[in-house]
Amino acid sequence: MRRADLTLLVLGTFLLLAGPLHVPSIWTRGEAREGLIVRDVVEHGHWVIGWRDGTLASKPPLFHWIAAGVGALAGVSDAVVRLPSAVGTLVVAGVTLWLGTAVGGRATGWLAVGALAGTASFWRSATEARVDMVFAAAITLALGGFFVWWRDGRRNGRALFWMGLAAAVLTKGPAGGVLGALVVTAFLAVERDLRRLFALASTPWLAVALAVTAGWYVAAWRAAGAQFLAVQVLHENVNRLVGGGAFHHSLRHATKLPAGFVVHLLPWNLVLVSAARRWWRGEREDAAGHFLHAWWMGITGVFVFAARTRTVYLLPAYPAIALLAARALAPRVSRRLAAGATRPTGRSRS
């Protein structure tokens, strides 16, 4: 990715998000919950695991660490509490641009970023003090890193994969590691290349990722004991996924995510209709297409069958849909631009 493209992306993201980080003020229960935890970390030094008015944090601490790190220097404010989501937005857009450029050129990369920018729910999460955009950034970084490692043999891609998975676990728990592993395994199975799983794991970065995540879990258990296991492991991961406790399967929850996929990702998800038509006609998909389909299917499939879900859980699948749409649109846009450049502008004088 060119330095000029990265600079333009950073400046554009800053200009778009600078205002919404401050206005409106935090008022929703979800944002207030994260804000209270960030304030607790800054004021009471609970860096291992935070509390909100005597209640243990329900999510791992990466989001809170980012906000509290800035808040310790600049003070805790609405903008500071929302800052991790803005940083996550930049990471998602940057990796999408990088991956789009790698699989289709600059036009594909920028069209994919444009698709993200044209999705209202993406920008709502970009300025919301919730962990979802940071989680999406971690998954996007991991999967983007994996693909460039698999296709081009870039060692730094393998490092990004493991560090991205570690960040995902430290944002939402073990589900982050499961999602990344599921997408990668499904893709390698389609490519009949499962032996690469051993190569993916044959790196010191796996040990680093395990040490970081396991180290935090041990420290959190020592700090909060059985309450930590009950809240963050059993309640937020196991029960939320398979049912139990306060979470029960229902028709309303079963239809929420498919409906959100149809509505929130319009018009970019229409590319899937075209892809299905090409598959029906027997047209072959390339490896990048297989990977992007494994990406969105893996993310969506896990949460569709979860006992309790929210439409924002689709956020890690947004880059895959944006990239599929960009790959379909890029040739048409290029032809239109070429035709416009060669079109006569007026009659020549004799």
Side-chain angles (χ1 to χ4, degrees):
M1 184 167 58
R2 299 182 182 182
R3 185 176 299 177
D5 288 342
L6 181 59
T7 301
L8 180 60
L9 184 68
V10 171
L11 289 176
T13 304
F14 173 78
L15 291 174
L16 287 169
L17 298 183
L21 286 177
H22 297 271
V23 180
S25 299
I26 288 176
W27 63 277
T28 65
R29 182 176 63 179
E31 286 196 293
R33 180 176 61 231
E34 306 305 337
L36 287 171
I37 296 171
V38 171
R39 187 176 67 182
D40 173 73
V41 173
V42 173
E43 293 182 355
H44 302 291
H46 294 153
W47 288 92
V48 173
I49 188 166
W51 299 75
R52 61 177 193 278
D53 293 337
T55 301
L56 190 70
S58 59
K59 297 291 190 296
L62 183 58
F63 179 97
H64 311 128
W65 284 346
I66 297 171
V70 177
L73 299 175
V76 178
S77 64
D78 292 350
V80 167
V81 174
R82 289 169 172 158
L83 184 62
S85 294
V87 173
T89 301
L90 181 59
V91 172
V92 172
V95 175
T96 300
L97 176 59
W98 173 48
L99 194 55
T101 302
V103 302
R106 292 181 71 204
T108 300
W110 278 111
L111 283 170
V113 172
L116 291 177
T119 307
S121 52
F122 179 80
W123 286 109
R124 183 166 58 250
S125 295
T127 55
E128 191 174 36
R130 304 290 292 267
V131 303
D132 302 289
M133 185 60 81
V134 175
F135 182 68
I139 294 293
T140 302
L141 186 66
L143 295 180
F146 162 78
F147 187 74
V148 298
W149 167 78
W150 177 84
R151 195 189 71 165
D152 303 330
R154 299 184 189 177
R155 293 184 179 181
N156 60 346
R158 188 167 54 174
L160 289 177
F161 172 74
W162 289 114
M163 291 301 97
L165 284 196
V169 172
L170 289 176
T171 303
K172 273 201 173 183
V178 171
L179 285 175
L182 176 64
V183 171
V184 165
T185 303
F187 166 69
L188 292 177
V190 170
E191 293 295 311
R192 299 180 180 179
D193 195 19
L194 285 172
R195 69 184 187 280
R196 294 294 292 276
L197 286 173
F198 297 101
L200 182 63
S202 301
T203 173
W205 288 106
L206 170 58
V208 173
L210 289 175
V212 169
T213 53
W216 176 76
Y217 270 88
V218 170
W221 173 73
R222 292 184 57 138
Q227 187 177 1
F228 162 71
L229 297 177
V231 172
Q232 290 211 13
V233 179
L234 182 62
H235 180 78
E236 284 294 326
N237 279 266
V238 178
N239 289 346
R240 186 178 287 273
L241 181 62
V242 303
F247 303 121
H248 301 285
H249 291 278
S250 67
L251 180 61
R252 181 172 68 87
H253 286 292
T255 57
K256 178 183 286 188
L257 212 70
F261 186 89
V262 172
V263 173
H264 291 303
L265 281 162
L266 276 174
W268 318 117
N269 53 13
L270 294 177
V271 70
L272 302 181
V273 177
S274 175
R277 190 185 311 121
R278 286 187 287 106
W279 173 81
W280 183 260
R281 291 199 299 251
E283 297 181 24
R284 298 188 63 179
E285 186 72 83
D286 63 4
H290 288 158
F291 175 68
L292 294 174
H293 284 296
W295 183 339
W296 75 263
M297 287 181 182
I299 301 295
T300 306
V302 168
F303 290 126
V304 160
F305 293 105
R308 187 65 57 87
T309 189
R310 298 166 53 225
T311 54
V312 75
Y313 291 176
L314 291 169
L315 203 57
Y318 280 29
I321 298 296
L323 285 163
L324 285 168
R327 294 185 83 208
L329 291 172
R332 300 181 183 183
V333 172
S334 298
R335 285 196 297 269
R336 293 269 183 126
L337 292 175
T342 57
R343 186 177 301 162
T345 57
R347 294 183 179 178
S348 60
R349 295 183 180 179
S350 56

